[in-house]
Amino acid sequence: TGVGTAGEDDAAKKTMVKNKRNRKVQKERGERGLKDHLGTTGVMTWHVYASHAHMELRTNGLPDVAARVFELGLSKHRSFLSSPPYVLSYAHLLLERGDEDNLRALLERAISACEEAGLSKDHQRSLWDMLLEFECHNSK
C-alpha cells in the first residue's frame, strides 16, 4: 500500500524470507520444532501479520480474513498498536472496505497507545495525519 519507508520495505522482505524458512521448519519438524526454532531466531515482528493480511486480501481476495489477521496481531502483540506502519497498513484496509467506525477507533486506539508508551509526537505524526485527513473528508 506504499505506507512504509525503504528501510521498512527491506525489513518486510527479510520478514517474508523468515516466514518461508519458518514454514519449512514447521513442515519438517512440526509445531514443537517451530517453537524451538523461533526461540532461537528472535521475536516475530509486525511484518509477519501485515504480510499475511496483504496476501489474504490481494491474492485470495478475502478482506474479512485480512482484517482478522490484523486484529490477531494486535491482540497477541499490544506493541503493534504503537507501530504506525502496522496501524496504517490496517487502516488502509479498513478505508478500502469503507469501515469508517473501525478505522476511526483503530487510529484513536493507536494514538492513545503511543501516548501511553511515551512515544514522541513525531512518532505519532503519520497516525494523526491519517485521522485528520479521514475526518476532513468523512465527517458526519
Side-chain angles (χ1 to χ4, degrees):
T1 60
V3 298
T5 64
E8 290 166 348
D9 290 341
D10 289 341
K13 287 176 186 173
K14 288 178 184 177
T15 300
M16 290 180 77
V17 169
K18 282 184 184 179
N19 288 346
K20 283 184 179 181
R21 188 176 332 122
N22 291 344
R23 282 194 298 273
K24 182 180 178 187
V25 168
Q26 183 179 20
K27 190 174 183 178
E28 291 173 355
R29 301 185 209 165
E31 282 298 315
R32 184 65 197 155
L34 177 61
K35 287 180 183 178
D36 291 343
H37 174 71
L38 288 175
T40 63
T41 61
V43 293
M44 294 172 67
T45 67
W46 61 265
H47 300 92
V48 174
Y49 292 91
S51 296
H52 182 176
H54 287 291
M55 285 191 302
E56 292 295 347
L57 178 65
R58 305 292 179 223
T59 305
N60 299 331
L62 300 171
D64 292 339
V65 173
R68 287 196 303 266
V69 170
F70 276 117
E71 277 300 324
L72 179 65
L74 292 174
S75 69
K76 290 188 170 272
H77 306 277
R78 173 108 173 107
S79 65
F80 290 2
L81 201 51
S82 56
S83 176
Y86 183 80
V87 173
L88 292 173
S89 188
Y90 184 14
H92 286 290
L93 169 69
L94 294 173
L95 189 61
E96 282 181 34
R97 295 177 65 202
D99 194 346
E100 295 177 7
D101 293 334
N102 283 327
L103 172 61
R104 185 177 292 111
L106 172 67
L107 292 171
E108 290 172 355
R109 282 174 30 209
I111 290 168
S112 178
C114 288
E115 289 173 355
E116 287 174 17
L119 301 173
S120 71
K121 295 292 183 196
D122 284 340
H123 186 83
Q124 304 172 34
R125 183 171 312 281
S126 57
L127 298 172
W128 277 107
D129 288 347
M130 184 167 191
L131 180 61
L132 292 172
E133 184 176 334
F134 170 74
E135 291 296 351
C136 286
H137 290 88
N138 299 297
S139 61
K140 294 180 179 180

